[in-house]
Amino acid sequence: MKKKKLLSVLLTAAMLTGILGGCGSEPAKEADTGSQPAQEENAGDADGTDAGQQAGSEETSSGETAAGDKKKIVLWTWATGQFDAVRDAYFEANPDADWELEEVVVASEDYLTKLQQGYASGGDMPDLLMAEMGWRGSAFALDIWENLEAEPYNFDRSIVMDSVIGGMVNSQDQVIGIENALNPAFMMYKKDLAKEYLGTDDRAELEAMFKTYDDYAKVGAEVYEKSGGAVTLFPGLQDVSNMMMMQKRNVSNVDAEGNVDVSGKVQRVFDTVEVMRNAKSCGNLAQYSTEWSNSFAEGSSILYPAASWSVTYWVEPYDPEGIDNWGMFIPAEGGFGWGGTCYGVYKGSEMKEEAWDFIQWCLLSEEGAKYMKEGSGFFLPVKSLYDDPEYTKGTRPNFGSQEINAFMMEEISPNVPEASLSIYDNLVSDSVNMVVQMMAADESMTAEDAMKEFMTDLQSKIPDVTVK
């Protein structure tokens, strides 16, 4: 009965996984998103992969080979090509490796469903497992992951940063997934618009200007009036609501009795969204929609809550001409974590040792760190890497001379708390995003109305669980 009830909850969760974070980890299906809302089709894949490719991909059983072929490690992924550089480097460094990596395209919104189906039916599964932060609690509840702290893996959790441990362990406090990157989140801004409508594009002055969410509302109202409605502080209300939810992702959605207890943090989100909406501080763009993506270059919004992956997967592709027109600062109530993807080993794999060796080299070694940084823009959460000050040096053309790597990894990352996971996380996020969009469409909808709608919607998804 317990497994049947768990599968029922997970199936509901799986049907609603078209949300980021987590670049995400999922924005641009980074690795993610984290708790992100439903987004523009294809905009999310790190390499632009579309659903059509999935139809042409054949699933491969663990370790399956054709006559004369090498053994294969199968990876289901929504971000094909992400491992190309580090994979090639791995085989160059390990010439005796007698296997090859096969990527099977699975859309991120389908990924949890396929894992759940494999768990329930004993069907085909990948050797390498992936889990986004936004639905990781549901994925980790499936009994398909190897305990990486046990023999023969013997992973030592002390080698990685404390802030990622909470997102790598299951309910038995076993490390079952290795985080592929730190995902510090902050505020990005367009310098030209900031200077015109805020009076400055200086990072320190902007941080002083925005100390609270009330400051966003006040200044946002001024921007709207000054621009005649042509420019808003944020592109949409979801940018604010998702930032607020991510800033509290260390607060569990489940209480000690197993109830879903989210009314406190969710009510504050709706209260803030109502104030921001009424002040005209936000546009009406749904986060990750085509219009939202295009706004990066159009100049209709000034501030964008963002994470480390936003540079690679949103700023650079959507505003390629915005050289030296972007900056970063610490937002009101501080930096936070947003998104992330972890990798683990499938219990039924026939290629466990090979899969683990690949994970170790890519995500836990100095050699792998070089290629993950240069090829994907991902900074690994391995403590020893940060003994070298050069590891966090550098910027990108859109951000001019600002040392954004040092800002992200030295100012934001050390202050990001551990994420708290549960099987209900993506259900909560989905309901919040739905209601926030309702508030954007209906200006008469109050925070009180929103809370009632949220509670009704969430309870309908998990009717056998107490929601409060």
Side-chain angles (χ1 to χ4, degrees):
M1 281 298 290
K2 184 176 181 181
K3 180 177 178 180
K4 185 177 180 181
K5 183 175 179 180
L6 173 63
L7 285 174
S8 176
V9 173
L10 295 182
L11 181 59
T12 301
M15 293 170 62
L16 296 165
T17 53
I19 61 176
L20 213 13
C23 74
S25 111
E26 269 192 29
K29 300 267 193 315
E30 171 268 351
D32 149 180
T33 137
S35 221
Q36 284 96 10
Q39 56 189 310
E40 172 190 6
E41 184 71 23
N42 304 335
D45 290 21
D47 64 334
T49 301
D50 69 341
Q53 288 178 280
Q54 183 182 355
S57 299
E58 296 183 0
E59 293 179 22
T60 307
S61 299
S62 174
E64 181 181 338
T65 59
D69 289 346
K70 287 184 177 180
K71 293 182 294 184
K72 294 177 180 178
I73 288 181
V74 177
L75 169 68
W76 291 354
T77 179
W78 55 85
T80 55
Q82 192 176 88
F83 273 119
D84 283 358
V86 72
R87 177 203 61 205
D88 293 345
Y90 170 86
F91 285 115
E92 184 176 341
N94 297 272
D96 295 332
D98 61 348
W99 57 271
E100 59 187 15
L101 181 68
E102 178 176 315
E103 294 185 337
V104 176
V105 179
V106 177
S108 68
E109 61 267 25
D110 297 331
Y111 204 95
L112 182 57
T113 301
K114 287 180 68 64
L115 289 182
Q116 183 270 337
Q117 290 172 341
Y119 172 61
S121 68
D124 286 341
M125 294 287 280
D127 301 286
L128 285 171
L129 298 167
M130 295 174 68
E132 280 277 6
M133 184 64 77
W135 41 266
R136 193 176 299 181
S138 296
F140 276 11
L142 301 174
D143 187 25
I144 58 177
W145 302 78
E146 284 282 270
N147 176 3
L148 301 179
E149 293 179 293
E151 294 282 351
Y153 312 103
N154 299 313
F155 172 71
D156 179 2
R157 66 174 67 187
S158 70
I159 71 173
V160 298
M161 295 183 174
D162 294 343
S163 62
V164 302
I165 295 295
M168 292 169 51
V169 299
N170 60 14
S171 59
Q172 287 77 50
D173 195 37
Q174 300 168 337
V175 172
I176 60 174
I178 303 299
E179 194 69 54
N180 79 329
L182 290 169
N183 296 279
F186 38 83
M187 191 70 74
M188 295 193 308
Y189 63 98
K190 298 201 72 168
K191 292 180 182 177
D192 57 348
L193 295 179
K195 198 161 189 178
E196 180 176 359
Y197 293 103
L198 306 181
T200 181
D201 62 359
D202 179 76
R203 171 199 160 181
E205 292 180 9
L206 291 172
E207 288 179 350
M209 184 181 300
F210 298 113
K211 290 292 189 183
T212 68
Y213 277 86
D214 286 340
D215 293 334
Y216 291 136
K218 176 178 177 296
V219 175
E222 295 169 356
V223 168
Y224 186 85
E225 182 177 1
K226 184 176 181 179
S227 69
V231 176
T232 56
L233 195 61
F234 294 96
L237 293 173
Q238 285 181 328
D239 293 276
V240 175
S241 63
N242 279 309
M243 175 169 57
M244 294 184 73
M245 291 295 288
M246 289 298 98
Q247 285 179 322
K248 298 295 184 183
R249 76 173 187 175
N250 60 311
V251 179
S252 178
N253 288 328
V254 180
D255 64 20
E257 286 73 44
N259 303 312
V260 175
D261 186 1
V262 295
S263 58
K265 63 181 176 183
V266 172
Q267 181 66 66
R268 181 169 181 263
V269 169
F270 293 149
D271 288 342
T272 302
V273 165
E274 181 181 9
V275 171
M276 297 283 283
R277 180 198 62 194
N278 294 346
K280 306 293 185 184
S281 296
C282 303
N284 291 316
L285 305 184
Q287 200 171 37
Y288 308 122
S289 65
T290 299
E291 296 78 11
W292 181 91
S293 301
N294 291 338
S295 74
F296 279 74
E298 289 173 349
S300 57
S301 300
I302 304 173
L303 302 184
Y304 291 79
S308 51
W309 35 259
S310 301
V311 176
T312 301
Y313 299 120
W314 293 112
V315 176
E316 292 177 341
Y318 287 102
D319 191 18
E321 297 182 6
I323 306 303
D324 195 19
N325 194 37
W326 288 86
M328 299 177 180
F329 68 86
I330 299 174
E333 300 191 11
F336 50 103
W338 192 351
T341 301
C342 74
Y343 293 79
V345 178
Y346 172 49
K347 276 189 171 183
S349 172
E350 297 175 2
M351 302 285 288
K352 292 179 183 178
E353 291 187 21
E354 293 89 345
W356 174 239
D357 192 64
F358 184 65
I359 290 174
Q360 279 189 301
W361 198 90
C362 294
L363 304 182
L364 299 173
S365 75
E366 288 188 17
E367 297 93 335
K370 173 185 176 183
Y371 291 95
M372 291 299 288
K373 175 184 174 182
E374 295 176 357
S376 302
F378 295 161
F379 288 81
L380 305 185
V382 179
K383 292 177 183 176
S384 62
L385 296 173
Y386 298 86
D387 293 337
D388 179 5
E390 292 302 314
Y391 185 61
T392 56
K393 289 290 190 296
T395 187
R396 304 278 272 273
N398 291 69
F399 291 82
S401 61
Q402 184 178 7
E403 275 279 356
I404 61 170
N405 288 349
F407 168 76
M408 292 187 290
M409 302 305 157
E410 297 175 15
E411 296 189 53
I412 303 294
S413 288
N415 300 311
V416 173
E418 289 185 80
S420 180
L421 306 181
S422 83
I423 62 174
Y424 307 107
D425 295 341
N426 58 322
L427 302 182
V428 172
S429 179
D430 179 77
S431 292
V432 169
N433 277 297
M434 182 200 74
V435 174
V436 168
Q437 281 300 93
M438 292 174 66
M439 295 181 73
D442 181 3
E443 293 190 2
S444 69
M445 188 176 191
T446 66
E448 183 179 356
D449 297 333
M451 194 64 196
K452 291 178 181 177
E453 187 70 37
F454 166 80
M455 295 293 282
T456 299
D457 184 68
L458 183 60
Q459 187 69 80
S460 70
K461 295 169 183 172
I462 44 177
D464 298 329
V465 179
T466 299
V467 177
K468 59 181 184 177

